[in-house]
Amino acid sequence: RVAAALAARGLEPLRVFRRKSIDGAVTTPTLSACADGADVMFMCLPTSTESEETAMAIARPGLIVVDATSGDPTRSAALAAALESKGTAYVDVAVSGGPGGAAAGTVSAMVGGRADDVARVRPLVQSFCGSFAHLGAAGAGHAVKAVNNTLNTLHLCAAAEGLLALKKGFGVDPREALRAINAGSGRSLQTEERLPKEVLTGRFGYGFRLGLMKKDTGIGAALLDANLAHDGALLPRVSETVAKAVDALGFDADYSEVVRFLENENGATLRSPPRAELHPDAKLLVCDMAGTTVQEDGLVVAVLRETMNEAADLGVTEEDILPWRGADKTEVTRHFVERIPEHLRANAQQKINAAFVERLEAAYLAADSPVRLISADLPAYFERVRSKGVKVALNTGYPTRLQDALIKKLGLDEMVDAWTCATDVSRARPSPFMVFVLMNQLGIETGVVKAGDTMRDMQEGRAARCVQNVGVLSGADDEATLLKAGADLVLPDITHLALA
């Protein structure tokens, strides 16, 4: 993420030493080749051990090393002193905000180092973060990150223990308890985001490994040991709990699974079968088209694959194209034309896109077309939804021409309040922009429910911060895939979503 953000700034020359190539950067075969002649060298490594080995290997006068590792602050301060003796400056930049924040460039940067060194690298760091705080001398950024992550896990564990006690002692539904808490003074990021989206759904897929959280909470506990008299203090207990969870669940478990460890210890679970009911705060139901409201028996995927192969001989197999279900079709073709020489790509993509629209429109509108509504009950269902004061809208990866033709053919224009498609926005799924367009069209700011049959639909819903993500099995992906991608519940088709 760091390299990609720096590349997006158009910095030249930008070199990377890693296994995956980055557009706009030159990938070097060795660390020394990457560092040779550089003014600034960013490191993002698993632990302080790797940071020390790497920094000392490349140290030379005039170089600034920026350490984006979640490191041990004591070792970071010592590394800064060791590098100084070689004429190399050191700035520690720890970030917080998770995988989503890293992808969106909204993470918080916690920075330590000399003021003049920090000032030199600040514009570069701000290319991949939303906030920037210079906290003190070298090691201060890593120290604050350790406390941040320890508090993160403390809040998660404390809230989970409270919910377990409420469920075991008084039979309180954890979902209802969280609704009450999140309207009160006990709310936190963990009660508003992590518990409802990762734990109560059973997803446990936030994207940060439990073993790495063990490292961070261990650093936080050591910080207390070194600086405070803390008999009975809370933060060291969190480190102990995470260490036990790693022993039980493994290093690579998601950090949110510390709650699973607490559940096992207490013989209870916070999860219950999800209510197959439209969210009580719903104001807008956004439904995907193919596989969710429209049954087309996989026609779009088949036509797209055949078109790519016939128009440009790309050799795309059924297995190749499966992960791209639900994506913007121009994004799909852009990906696969990379199989041919660069000078041929633009013409091939243009040819494929034009032929695809023509062929799919013909297939959809033919007299013997298999295209139909997902259920004969859909018109009546949408009417009931709208009678509750909830707007209904459609979005899709189709281009405008196809979407409009399909909506007219099936009479969906009489059933819904608005629709949009991938060509109306700068970035399609899993980005949230199509949902935002519909919200703007209909004057709705909150209470959006997203329904779809692919992981990209669920990722879109999460990115748009929908109050409910409904996966349906009437199209592409299976239940496990939808849940992992963020579905709150999975139903046979959209008409099974009950109305209160």
Side-chain angles (χ1 to χ4, degrees):
R1 299 296 186 185
V2 172
L6 294 173
R9 285 174 57 91
L11 297 175
E12 293 183 2
L14 176 66
R15 298 189 294 270
V16 294
F17 175 58
R18 53 176 290 174
R19 287 176 295 175
K20 183 179 178 182
S21 62
I22 297 290
D23 288 341
V26 176
T27 301
T28 62
T30 65
L31 176 62
S32 60
C34 187
D36 184 34
D39 297 314
V40 181
M41 184 75 172
F42 280 81
M43 305 186 302
C44 189
L45 299 163
T47 71
S48 290
T49 298
E50 290 84 1
S51 291
E52 291 162 351
E53 293 172 352
T54 301
M56 295 307 292
I58 62 175
R60 57 174 169 75
L63 177 66
I64 298 181
V65 171
V66 181
D67 191 357
T69 303
S70 293
D72 181 323
T74 303
R75 294 174 68 175
S76 299
L79 177 57
L83 289 171
E84 185 178 12
S85 69
K86 295 178 176 290
T88 300
Y90 176 88
V91 175
D92 52 297
V93 177
V95 298
S96 176
T106 59
V107 292
S108 167
M110 307 167 189
V111 184
R114 291 183 174 179
D116 55 343
D117 297 327
V118 170
R120 286 180 61 191
V121 302
R122 180 170 185 151
L124 301 177
V125 175
Q126 287 183 317
S127 68
F128 58 83
C129 68
S131 68
F132 182 103
H134 182 200
L135 300 161
H142 286 163
V144 174
K145 170 65 180 290
V147 172
N148 175 85
N149 276 17
T150 306
L151 287 171
N152 175 319
T153 312
L154 171 65
H155 297 162
L156 178 60
C157 291
E161 288 178 343
L163 294 177
L164 285 166
L166 289 170
K167 184 173 183 179
K168 290 184 71 175
F170 289 88
V172 177
D173 183 335
R175 291 181 181 274
E176 295 304 315
L178 283 177
R179 282 173 60 83
I181 290 167
N182 288 336
S185 60
R187 67 185 181 275
S188 69
L189 174 69
Q190 309 306 318
T191 63
E192 292 180 331
E193 295 284 334
R194 215 69 74 239
L195 282 161
K197 293 184 178 180
E198 305 299 340
V199 175
L200 300 193
T201 62
R203 180 175 179 266
F204 293 111
Y206 176 69
F208 188 78
R209 287 185 289 176
L210 185 60
L212 293 177
M213 190 61 84
K214 175 185 175 181
K215 175 194 60 132
D216 291 351
T217 56
I219 293 170
L223 190 63
L224 262 73
D225 285 336
N227 295 283
L228 295 179
H230 64 278
D231 287 346
L234 296 176
L235 291 187
R237 295 184 188 179
V238 177
S239 177
E240 296 167 7
T241 299
V242 174
K244 291 177 182 177
V246 170
D247 289 341
L249 303 174
F251 185 98
D252 290 329
D254 193 79
Y255 102 94
S256 60
E257 291 188 74
V258 68
V259 179
R260 195 193 297 276
F261 169 76
L262 294 173
E263 291 174 329
N264 294 341
E265 290 287 291
N266 289 281
T269 177
L270 294 178
R271 287 169 300 291
S272 56
R275 296 173 181 172
E277 187 173 277
L278 185 68
H279 195 284
D281 298 330
K283 297 175 184 175
L284 169 63
L285 172 61
V286 177
C287 295
D288 169 55
M289 291 186 65
T292 303
T293 54
V294 176
Q295 182 57 266
E296 44 90 82
D297 298 335
L299 198 57
V300 61
V301 174
V303 170
L304 182 57
R305 185 175 70 85
E306 291 168 4
T307 304
M308 287 191 288
N309 290 339
E310 291 180 16
D313 195 23
L314 298 181
V316 180
T317 66
E318 291 183 10
E319 185 177 346
D320 288 337
I321 205 169
L322 285 180
W324 293 91
R325 293 175 297 190
D328 173 10
K329 305 309 177 283
T330 57
E331 179 187 356
V332 181
T333 58
R334 187 182 306 118
H335 170 79
F336 284 108
V337 296
E338 291 184 359
R339 295 182 173 186
I340 61 178
E342 186 172 359
H343 69 282
L344 299 175
R345 292 174 187 172
N347 183 61
Q349 186 172 2
Q350 185 177 20
K351 182 178 179 182
I352 291 168
N353 290 340
F356 167 68
V357 172
E358 294 286 348
R359 293 179 63 171
L360 189 61
E361 184 175 44
Y364 274 174
L365 301 183
D368 59 349
S369 169
V371 176
R372 60 198 183 277
L373 295 177
I374 205 76
S375 166
D377 296 329
L378 188 67
Y381 177 75
F382 278 166
E383 184 178 351
R384 292 198 303 274
V385 173
R386 297 168 79 188
S387 74
K388 300 286 184 180
V390 178
K391 302 288 187 181
V392 177
L394 304 175
N395 72 351
T396 181
Y398 295 139
T400 302
R401 174 176 155 185
L402 278 175
Q403 183 185 39
D404 289 347
L406 194 54
I407 285 174
K408 183 176 181 180
K409 173 183 173 72
L410 298 176
L412 283 162
D413 52 335
E414 301 293 331
M415 304 178 208
V416 302
D417 299 285
W419 58 87
T420 192
C421 67
T423 52
D424 294 334
V425 294
S426 59
R427 287 195 319 223
R429 298 175 188 141
S431 295
F433 300 131
M434 283 197 287
V435 175
F436 293 161
V437 165
L438 293 168
M439 292 171 67
N440 184 60
Q441 284 182 10
L442 297 170
I444 289 172
E445 297 182 359
T446 60
V448 180
V449 175
K450 170 64 189 183
D453 65 299
T454 71
M455 64 177 182
R456 289 174 183 264
D457 288 304
M458 299 302 97
Q459 291 165 345
E460 175 188 40
R462 287 175 64 84
R465 302 181 74 85
C466 293
V467 296
Q468 187 178 38
N469 290 318
V470 181
V472 294
L473 299 175
S474 48
D477 287 336
D478 59 23
E479 182 174 14
T481 301
L482 294 169
L483 287 171
K484 186 175 181 181
D488 296 306
L489 66 159
V490 178
L491 304 172
D493 68 54
I494 187 60
T495 66
H496 286 72
L497 183 63
L499 306 178

